[in-house]
Amino acid sequence: VFGYITASFIYPSLAKRGIKIKTAHKFAIGSALGALAMLWALYVEYKIRFYASEKINLLWQAPAYLLIGWGEIFAVSASYEVAFTASSP
């Protein structure tokens, strides 16, 4: 889903404005989204450990998976871009 959204909406809307995200920035965006996912997972773990008397819904974990998935879209697309431009024909 995020791959479709990124390729169909985000990149074209940036291209219309004359903005092209550099490969290094794609890596940085992917890494930042991955870091946010880990921070969210840490927060959920904190809630589980310190509020054990309360029930915590399983959906609290969903944002971590969504963030890591979207981060992978940026990181993997950037790595493919590097691989195809750096390799010999």
Side-chain angles (χ1 to χ4, degrees), residues 39-89:
L39 288 173
W40 184 260
L42 182 66
Y43 172 70
V44 171
E45 184 66 21
Y46 171 79
K47 283 182 65 99
I48 290 170
R49 297 285 180 199
F50 292 105
Y51 298 105
S53 61
E54 299 176 19
K55 290 187 177 184
I56 297 175
N57 194 329
L58 181 67
L59 291 177
W60 278 92
Q61 294 180 2
Y65 288 103
L66 294 174
L67 287 169
I68 198 76
W70 202 16
E72 286 291 320
I73 296 296
F74 283 101
V76 170
S77 67
S79 64
Y80 281 146
E81 185 176 334
V82 168
F84 287 122
T85 57
S87 66
S88 59

Side-chain angles (χ1 to χ4, degrees), residues 21-40:
I21 301 175
K22 296 179 182 178
T23 305
H25 292 154
K26 289 180 188 176
F27 277 124
I29 291 169
S31 298
L33 288 171
L36 284 174
M38 294 300 111
L39 288 173
W40 184 260

